[in-house]
Amino acid sequence: MINSFIVDGHCDSLIDFVDNVRTLKDPSGGGQWDIQSARHTGVSLQFLAAYIQTKYKPDRSSHRGLQLIEGAHRFIANYSDQIFLVQGKTDLEQIPDPNRLGILLSVEGGEILGEDLFMLDVIFKLGVRALGLTWNQRNALAAGVGEADTHLKLTTFGQEVVQRMNKLGMIVDVSHLNEAGFWHVLEISMDPIVATHSCAKALCDHPRNLTDQQLRALARHKGVVGVNFYPQFLKNTGVATRHDVVRHICHIAEVAGVETVGLGSDFDGIKEAPEGLGHVGDYNYLRNDLIKAGFSILEVEKIMGRNFMRLLSDVLK
Ligand SMILES: [Zn+2]
């Protein structure tokens, strides 16, 4: 029996809470993620994304982003006996807490900042500790993977944001960033960076995935990639099983080292899920699959959570 705890680098469940679709308390409300199931399966830290949907961009991005952050605080207050907000190194020391699930608040899309650096300090003061510089579109910081011109680097503002994030102790997330932006961030960031929810391009040729070269560079900078469970990122056919998640984990471990691999389910952000891994409660099966795939217990612990924990203790203040 192994006692590994899980860190999940990305889920979009917060939107359901804020839009009053469900409480996220337990599985009775439906969806792919809820507190009860996450705790039962051993999730000790969940990155909770404030994802700003396209319909709010550009004019209402900040407004919507702040609404989601306010919602996250209400969510944490509602279930304070079961979850707590992780903001700094001292909070990390409490993980794994047998009774409570840690929540790391992240924002998906630098649109929340508009073109003002002070907004980064505002969201930091509101407890946000990770920021995806872009979603798929271009914004004031950089260009996302959905942009046709892949050579766009970070704007001056984007560079200032990364530098300020280093200073504050915030995680720079490059999951949706275009490739030129990815290399630019690596050039300027003093801290390790993260792709919270992406897969390996060598196994599935999708713009959201990382090339072997990118994976190796991430490893050199002590970064982590959270493997995404979206079938479109796992397999060219768009139909996948839990085994395909294991294949991507094995590939990244082989190319970039086992220290570079983490998990970033993207639960409640993916319409389809791999067979056998459609819900946060299915993490137990994945743990067993990794053992069967030949990873040692220590390696499984790293993949499932310790790599992300190491990175967080490197970056958070
Ligand atoms: Zn995403």
Side-chain angles (χ1 to χ4, degrees), residues 10 12 51 108 135 175-176 197 208 228 266:
H10 191 91
D12 281 323
Y51 163 55
E108 187 168 25
W135 193 64
S175 252
H176 284 265
H197 56 305
R208 280 278 283 99
N228 193 312
D266 214 347

Side-chain angles (χ1 to χ4, degrees), residues 153-214:
K153 296 173 83 174
L154 263 58
T155 62
T156 305
F157 178 58
Q159 294 172 54
E160 286 167 3
V161 168
V162 170
Q163 285 157 355
R164 184 78 189 139
M165 288 178 75
N166 286 168
K167 209 160 244 158
L168 292 168
M170 289 179 80
I171 313 284
V172 180
D173 183 0
V174 297
S175 252
H176 284 265
L177 192 61
N178 69 341
E179 191 172 344
F182 171 92
W183 293 112
H184 199 181
V185 172
L186 275 186
E187 250 172 63
I188 59 174
S189 178
M190 305 294 286
D191 282 332
I193 62 167
V194 174
T196 56
H197 56 305
S198 294
C199 298
K201 208 171 209 162
L203 300 187
C204 179
D205 188 13
H206 191 285
R208 280 278 283 99
N209 291 343
L210 301 169
T211 65
D212 287 354
Q213 210 186 357
Q214 286 177 295

Side-chain angles (χ1 to χ4, degrees), residues 35-107:
I35 299 173
Q36 192 188 89
S37 304
R39 287 181 59 217
H40 280 176
T41 201
V43 178
S44 288
L45 179 62
Q46 177 69 53
F47 282 55
L48 194 66
Y51 163 55
I52 301 160
Q53 294 130 292
T54 305
K55 62 182 174 185
Y56 297 100
K57 298 173 195 175
D59 296 346
R60 290 173 60 79
S61 304
S62 303
H63 189 102
R64 174 63 171 174
L66 292 173
Q67 184 185 24
L68 291 168
I69 293 168
E70 191 279 329
H73 283 278
R74 248 184 318 117
F75 171 60
I76 292 163
N78 281 1
Y79 304 108
S80 60
D81 54 331
Q82 298 171 61
I83 53 180
F84 69 104
L85 186 64
V86 170
Q87 299 185 77
K89 271 194 182 30
T90 48
D91 301 316
L92 290 179
E93 287 162 15
Q94 297 179 49
I95 296 173
D97 181 322
N99 302 312
R100 290 190 308 164
L101 166 67
I103 298 285
L104 191 126
L105 190 51
S106 71
V107 169

